[in-house]
Amino acid sequence: MTSHQTTQTMKPATAAKKLGVYLEATPAEFQEGVVSRGELNALQSDPPEWLVELRREGPHPRPVVAAKLGVSIAGLARGGVTEALTTEQIEALKAELPAWLRRERATQAEVRKEAARIKEKNAERADQARRPRA
């Protein structure tokens, strides 16, 4: 018996998500084909110029926009940002610092603070559970 190994492929949308780029801004041949695991690895390790440019200038998908602005994806939606933004547009928002962005950054800071508190509390509980009782 011979072993026949199939090549694992993914849809362009999945590959774009893994690469952190906005699918609609990628070249047509990328959008219309399928991407193998090997091709994805090659794009990640040695990105072509279009990918380098797209990551640098955008437009960026919402998760990337949210990360660059320091807010959640839901915070973007509450702020009225529903489309992909370029790096230039993101920098303009940072410079302008509208009220919604200040509010969402504060909310995100509280969420992080609460997550750290819960993590610390769970670590203390785990530590106490490991200790032998007298």
Side-chain angles (χ1 to χ4, degrees), residues 43-102:
L43 286 169
Q44 288 172 326
S45 64
D46 186 23
E49 186 55 38
W50 66 264
L51 182 55
V52 171
E53 182 71 17
L54 198 52
R55 285 177 169 168
R56 183 177 46 241
E57 301 298 327
H60 304 287
R62 286 182 305 148
V64 174
V65 173
K68 287 178 178 274
L69 290 174
V71 299
S72 67
I73 295 172
L76 282 180
R78 285 189 294 269
V81 178
T82 56
E83 298 297 319
L85 298 179
T86 64
T87 300
E88 187 177 318
Q89 291 169 314
I90 293 168
E91 293 305 317
L93 271 174
K94 285 179 175 179
E96 182 185 323
L97 205 59
W100 72 265
L101 183 54
R102 287 193 304 275

